[in-house]
Amino acid sequence: MVFFSSCRVTPKLYGSVIIIASKQQQCVITQSLAQRSISSKAMRQGLPVQPKPAPFPYKEKRYNFFRALLDPTTSRLDENSKLIVVEGPPAAGKGALAKELAEELGMAYFPAPTQAEEYINSYGYDIRKLDHKLPESCQSYDENDFIKDPMRMHGAKAARFQFTKLALRYKRYMEALAHILNTGEGVVMDRSPYSDLVYITAMAETGIVTKNVYHHYHKVRNNALFALWRPHLVVYLDVPVAETRKRIEARNRPYEKDSKITTPAYLESLENSYKKDFLKDISAHSEVLVYDWSKGGDSEIVVEDIERINFDQYGPYDIKMKDWRRYDKWDWNTNRQVFTHDQDRLLQFLNVPAFSCPEALIDGGDYKIYDIVMDEAPGNKYAKGFNSDMGDKGLWFKLS
């Protein structure tokens, strides 16, 4: 059981679940997405389907002012148009539970992004094959490399790796928001940018990165997260450090069980930061369910607990669910356009100059070499569709 001085903890409920929530005044807002309770597919079975527009093909078409006149965002939103994030320590079973919840609730599942995915360009070419042409500071460094050697270049590679992971989670989170607002379908995610801070905390406390990196990370985080909407619900799987370590050893992944990032000290720091930093902060803004997952659990019980949460109980002056209360339909429409088509602009909030954090920087000479090598990589010379060496045809007849 986890207690926070700033929250009211309700330790009754069902099974081993705890709901963490602040005392709030009950009130209803007409332009709020936090309406009613989430319902599972089993609960909706046999009930009449409420008519609503088909999902907007936001990946193929642009949502603009003229489309907004005929396609208001709120027309697709219902009680299941919500964002759920599953959190927990390594090997807790986050991904498996998130998939099960998405299936049982009729929502989309968004897996956690990986650094390895970013090394495959739009033509399927793995740019890690070019590492031998690059200086060490610019060579690839993915999750496996982090596990094998977190102290590479005295922790500089790990520092840049974590900044990149924050950006990847930030982008995936925007994609989830865009999906909800354009389709009306809820999303269940594995991790979020809000919990990413627990990793930099553990890295700093175990000496992988310097305090300088830690402080700069928080500058970046604080400069960027304001632009996002916090999730409706966080499901945290609580697993003791000893059990986490046992599971890591059992899955026997190469280099993992003997890595510095799977030591009891690192895992304990991760757990403490999850509970003292992340959960304490997010519980003021989102509903939180905490489960003892040391022996696993039943997703059906989690679904039943989710169905009991009243997202409708918060008023216009409550902090909780504030992000999902908009002024009017045009506020909804504007944010839909931003999360869908202005993702590159929002990502710029992560671009905080690291003048006081040289560990996060790459030498100018090294980066010049990197630029030259990347421009010569197969499929990188021109935009996708305009690379004749990759088999693209009809280049003279393409406008964009």
Side-chain angles (χ1 to χ4, degrees), residues 25-236:
Q25 177 183 0
Q26 294 191 5
C27 187
V28 179
I29 278 293
T30 55
Q31 289 297 331
S32 172
L33 181 53
Q35 296 173 359
R36 303 183 295 277
S37 300
I38 296 174
S39 57
S40 64
K41 289 195 295 186
M43 179 177 284
R44 296 195 300 270
Q45 189 173 7
L47 297 177
V49 179
Q50 296 298 321
K52 64 179 183 178
F56 180 76
Y58 63 98
K59 294 182 180 179
E60 291 80 35
K61 297 181 180 180
R62 188 172 185 86
Y63 184 73
N64 53 32
F65 172 76
F66 298 104
R67 285 199 166 100
L69 291 173
L70 302 174
D71 184 11
T73 301
T74 51
S75 63
R76 289 185 181 82
L77 306 181
D78 57 26
E79 67 273 17
N80 274 33
S81 303
K82 292 182 172 65
L83 181 52
I84 300 173
V85 176
V86 180
E87 298 280 359
K94 299 180 295 297
L97 178 62
K99 286 181 184 178
E100 292 175 11
L101 292 180
E103 173 61 28
E104 295 186 35
L105 296 174
M107 296 182 175
Y109 167 63
F110 277 45
T114 65
Q115 178 67 61
E117 296 170 2
E118 296 301 301
Y119 290 132
I120 310 298
N121 71 11
S122 56
Y123 289 90
Y125 181 78
D126 190 340
I127 62 175
R128 286 174 291 191
K129 295 177 181 179
L130 303 174
D131 276 351
H132 65 282
K133 296 182 179 182
L134 298 171
E136 185 181 13
S137 62
C138 298
Q139 290 174 0
S140 63
Y141 189 81
D142 59 21
E143 287 79 7
N144 288 331
D145 295 316
F146 177 57
I147 293 171
K148 293 176 188 177
D149 187 10
M151 297 306 300
R152 187 172 166 186
M153 294 187 68
H154 306 290
K157 296 290 283 188
R160 291 196 286 269
F161 168 79
Q162 199 56 46
F163 283 113
T164 303
K165 290 290 285 187
L166 174 61
L168 293 175
R169 290 185 176 124
Y170 193 92
K171 188 174 188 298
R172 182 61 52 86
Y173 198 85
M174 287 191 291
E175 292 168 353
L177 292 172
H179 183 84
I180 294 172
L181 298 180
N182 282 284
T183 67
E185 183 181 36
V187 170
V188 183
M189 296 186 67
D190 178 356
R191 294 201 184 114
S192 75
Y194 292 98
S195 65
D196 190 76
L197 85 162
V198 305
Y199 295 95
I200 201 71
T201 300
M203 290 163 68
E205 291 183 353
T206 54
I208 296 174
V209 300
T210 65
K211 290 294 182 181
N212 202 29
V213 170
Y214 174 83
H215 293 310
H216 181 69
Y217 175 92
H218 279 275
K219 288 180 184 178
V220 174
R221 183 179 187 273
N222 295 337
N223 194 63
L225 288 188
F226 81 94
L228 303 179
W229 296 355
R230 296 172 183 86
H232 291 89
L233 171 65
V234 172
V235 177
Y236 180 74

Side-chain angles (χ1 to χ4, degrees), residues 122-348:
S122 56
Y123 289 90
Y125 181 78
D126 190 340
I127 62 175
R128 286 174 291 191
K129 295 177 181 179
L130 303 174
D131 276 351
H132 65 282
K133 296 182 179 182
L134 298 171
E136 185 181 13
S137 62
C138 298
Q139 290 174 0
S140 63
Y141 189 81
D142 59 21
E143 287 79 7
N144 288 331
D145 295 316
F146 177 57
I147 293 171
K148 293 176 188 177
D149 187 10
M151 297 306 300
R152 187 172 166 186
M153 294 187 68
H154 306 290
K157 296 290 283 188
R160 291 196 286 269
F161 168 79
Q162 199 56 46
F163 283 113
T164 303
K165 290 290 285 187
L166 174 61
L168 293 175
R169 290 185 176 124
Y170 193 92
K171 188 174 188 298
R172 182 61 52 86
Y173 198 85
M174 287 191 291
E175 292 168 353
L177 292 172
H179 183 84
I180 294 172
L181 298 180
N182 282 284
T183 67
E185 183 181 36
V187 170
V188 183
M189 296 186 67
D190 178 356
R191 294 201 184 114
S192 75
Y194 292 98
S195 65
D196 190 76
L197 85 162
V198 305
Y199 295 95
I200 201 71
T201 300
M203 290 163 68
E205 291 183 353
T206 54
I208 296 174
V209 300
T210 65
K211 290 294 182 181
N212 202 29
V213 170
Y214 174 83
H215 293 310
H216 181 69
Y217 175 92
H218 279 275
K219 288 180 184 178
V220 174
R221 183 179 187 273
N222 295 337
N223 194 63
L225 288 188
F226 81 94
L228 303 179
W229 296 355
R230 296 172 183 86
H232 291 89
L233 171 65
V234 172
V235 177
Y236 180 74
L237 307 183
D238 190 19
V239 180
V241 169
E243 177 62 25
T244 299
R245 178 65 192 173
K246 183 178 177 181
R247 293 182 186 183
I248 289 173
E249 292 178 353
R251 66 186 186 185
N252 199 29
R253 291 181 178 176
Y255 307 102
E256 187 179 42
K257 63 180 182 179
D258 297 321
S259 173
K260 187 170 183 176
I261 67 165
T262 59
T263 61
Y266 181 91
L267 296 174
E268 185 175 344
S269 178
L270 203 67
E271 180 184 41
N272 290 338
S273 184
Y274 250 128
K275 295 176 179 179
K276 295 178 181 178
D277 300 328
F278 170 66
L279 287 179
K280 182 178 180 179
D281 176 70
I282 202 68
S283 63
H285 304 275
S286 308
E287 293 288 356
V288 177
L289 294 177
V290 180
Y291 292 87
D292 178 5
W293 217 251
S294 56
K295 295 182 179 180
D298 189 344
S299 61
E300 291 186 8
I301 293 177
V302 181
V303 169
E304 292 173 1
D305 293 333
I306 291 174
E307 289 176 329
R308 292 183 176 98
I309 298 176
N310 180 14
F311 293 95
D312 192 19
Q313 62 182 299
Y314 304 106
Y317 304 109
D318 291 323
I319 296 177
K320 200 165 277 194
M321 304 298 157
K322 180 181 179 181
D323 293 343
W324 296 88
R325 292 192 293 270
R326 314 318 301 176
Y327 296 112
D328 53 31
K329 70 175 184 179
W330 284 105
D331 193 9
W332 283 103
N333 295 344
T334 300
N335 280 280
R336 172 181 169 185
Q337 196 278 335
V338 169
F339 291 135
T340 306
H341 305 298
D342 285 354
Q343 292 184 8
D344 288 341
R345 180 174 65 84
L346 293 185
L347 283 169
Q348 293 305 310

Side-chain angles (χ1 to χ4, degrees), residues 341-381:
H341 305 298
D342 285 354
Q343 292 184 8
D344 288 341
R345 180 174 65 84
L346 293 185
L347 283 169
Q348 293 305 310
F349 289 122
L350 295 166
N351 189 20
V352 177
F355 300 127
S356 61
C357 185
E359 302 96 318
L361 300 175
I362 295 176
D363 177 78
D366 288 355
Y367 203 83
K368 184 175 181 180
I369 297 173
Y370 173 83
D371 267 347
I372 294 172
V373 172
M374 288 300 108
D375 284 345
E376 294 175 350
N380 278 9
K381 190 171 184 180

